[in-house]
Amino acid sequence: MAKAGRCAICGRPGTVRVPHANAWFCDEHFPTWLERRIRRVAERYGMFEGSRRVAVAVSGGKDSVTLLHALKAIGDEVGFEVVSLHLDLGIGEFSRASAEVARRNAEMLGVESVVVDLKSKYGFTVPEAVRSTRRPACSTCGLVKRYALGEAAEDVGADTLATGHNLDDMAQFIAMGYQSGDVEELARLRPVVPAEHYAVKSVKPLFLVYERETAEYARVKGLPTVSLKCPLKDATSGWIVREKMKEVEEAMPGFMMRFVQEFAEKIQPALAERYLREGEVGRCRICGRPTSKGREICSFCAVRMRATGMATA
Ligand code: SF4
Ligand code: ZN
Ligand code: ZN
């Protein structure tokens, strides 16, 4: 560990080191600096242009909790309100603890807090969905969350849905997309997704924020976060790639940032032009939302049918 430097804002002894910016910050100024950076990134990519009501997906983890607090501060400055959206996935004690953390953070900020219970709304929990399919748990959970959050954001009258995907998540998705050659998946991986599937646009304001930065933000501000690990989390090859990329980052500070930013600004747009054919999508005959590759039933409805016993895997 390098000898602590001085805070780049006030000159007092630094407590948080930010290698990619070659800077140190004190506990007081690290959150200020991070919020400013999130705001700059959001402005550069037009994330909140025209936004008046932003639903923030709060799982209770450090990324989503950081996102809620940072967007509340930014929203107060630029003029949008935030609503905390929490999905109860029905994963036993883990879900109970997560809901409590989401509620406490919303209460700290005095923001509206909405909890959507998957079982009541759609008739199944994530463990039931996972048991009904051979897909990896997090992949099934991810698709269920995307759908349920999109609908919940519409239901609360939001125009924008913000999710807490960080830079490490994005680097992992990109690397795994290259490995599998799934060009359509890569073409859809964007920091701003226009309102197509849902009536809200979807944004990832932390996509250039390192995971360790959200951890520091939550620590420095003393924010409640979920300490329990999700019991369904699968050890996929994606996690190995993620850890190895962090080693490269250690040796070359800023590597992951350039990897993700160059992808977002040059590679994804080129892939989208070549592989995203929005006009060709069909409509799900159950829920009416867009389906990929002309399928009759969307992936969410397929999972729901299996999880509720309306279809076999
Ligand atoms: Fe869902 Fe996986 Fe996260 Fe658990 S670890 S909540 S299964 S995405
Ligand atoms: Zn300072
Ligand atoms: Zn459907």
Side-chain angles (χ1 to χ4, degrees):
M1 181 82 171
K3 188 169 165 287
R6 302 248 154 214
C7 170
I9 295 179
C10 71
R12 282 182 297 180
T15 50
V16 182
R17 180 172 166 245
V18 182
H20 68 89
N22 195 21
W24 284 84
F25 296 94
C26 68
D27 275 5
E28 184 188 339
H29 290 117
F30 177 70
T32 317
W33 172 77
L34 193 67
E35 284 165 12
R36 270 192 220 149
R37 197 152 68 81
I38 294 169
R39 181 172 167 180
R40 270 204 309 277
V41 168
E43 283 171 354
R44 180 181 171 110
Y45 292 88
M47 291 185 183
F48 300 114
E49 267 167 27
S51 297
R52 300 179 62 82
R53 189 162 158 85
V54 178
V56 184
V58 181
S59 66
K62 57 195 175 336
D63 300 321
S64 64
V65 163
T66 293
L67 182 64
L68 182 69
H69 285 258
L71 290 192
K72 171 72 169 78
I74 295 168
D76 286 349
E77 285 171 16
V78 306
F80 59 76
E81 62 175 347
V82 303
V83 185
S84 163
L85 262 191
H86 175 76
L87 287 183
D88 185 334
L89 305 172
I91 313 179
E93 189 48 39
F94 171 72
S95 284
R96 278 188 286 279
S98 304
E100 174 59 14
V101 164
R103 186 194 63 72
R104 280 170 60 202
N105 279 286
E107 199 175 84
M108 275 170 86
L109 293 166
V111 302
E112 187 181 336
S113 170
V114 175
V115 177
V116 175
D117 180 48
L118 211 61
K119 181 82 176 174
S120 319
K121 183 155 187 204
Y122 299 106
F124 68 94
T125 62
V126 162
E128 285 164 358
V130 168
R131 278 198 295 274
S132 72
T133 163
R134 281 184 285 272
R135 288 170 71 130
C138 294
S139 153
T140 302
C141 183
L143 95 79
V144 167
K145 285 194 290 196
R146 268 194 303 282
Y147 188 100
L149 283 170
E151 282 208 340
E154 289 177 351
D155 292 347
V156 299
D159 44 49
T160 309
L161 168 67
T163 57
H165 299 96
N166 63 36
L167 179 63
D168 301 46
D169 298 328
M170 289 291 282
Q172 178 186 336
F173 295 153
I174 296 166
M176 297 314 287
Y178 286 160
Q179 186 206 231
S180 62
D182 192 340
V183 284
E184 287 184 26
E185 196 65 34
L186 285 169
R188 272 192 290 269
L189 192 55
R190 303 160 273 185
V192 180
V193 180
E196 287 160 359
H197 277 61
Y198 309 98
V200 295
K201 82 172 155 178
S202 172
V203 299
K204 301 180 184 70
L206 305 183
F207 92 107
L208 293 180
V209 173
Y210 288 85
E211 187 173 39
R212 69 175 279 280
E213 293 175 327
T214 65
E216 291 285 18
Y217 183 98
R219 177 192 67 77
V220 163
K221 288 184 74 106
L223 306 180
T225 57
V226 188
S227 51
L228 294 178
K229 291 251 178 296
C230 172
L232 299 179
K233 185 168 196 154
D234 29 41
T236 60
S237 48
W239 287 95
I240 300 172
V241 170
R242 185 185 183 105
E243 290 309 310
K244 292 295 167 195
M245 286 182 99
K246 282 194 207 161
E247 285 176 24
V248 179
E249 174 74 26
E250 280 282 309
M252 295 167 59
F255 165 78
M256 284 167 78
M257 172 95 72
R258 288 188 294 279
F259 184 76
V260 172
Q261 191 161 8
E262 295 300 327
F263 173 82
E265 296 192 2
K266 298 186 185 130
I267 299 170
Q268 185 277 332
L271 291 175
E273 207 166 291
R274 174 83 169 75
Y275 296 104
L276 275 193
R277 304 196 187 283
E278 302 295 352
E280 286 180 12
V281 297
R283 294 268 156 197
C284 172
R285 73 176 157 77
I286 296 176
C287 70
R289 294 198 184 270
T291 53
S292 54
K293 292 177 191 150
R295 283 198 203 136
E296 282 204 351
I297 297 175
C298 75
S299 323
F300 177 85
C301 288
V303 166
R304 184 183 186 182
M305 284 172 72
R306 282 196 297 266
T308 55
M310 290 161 66
T312 47

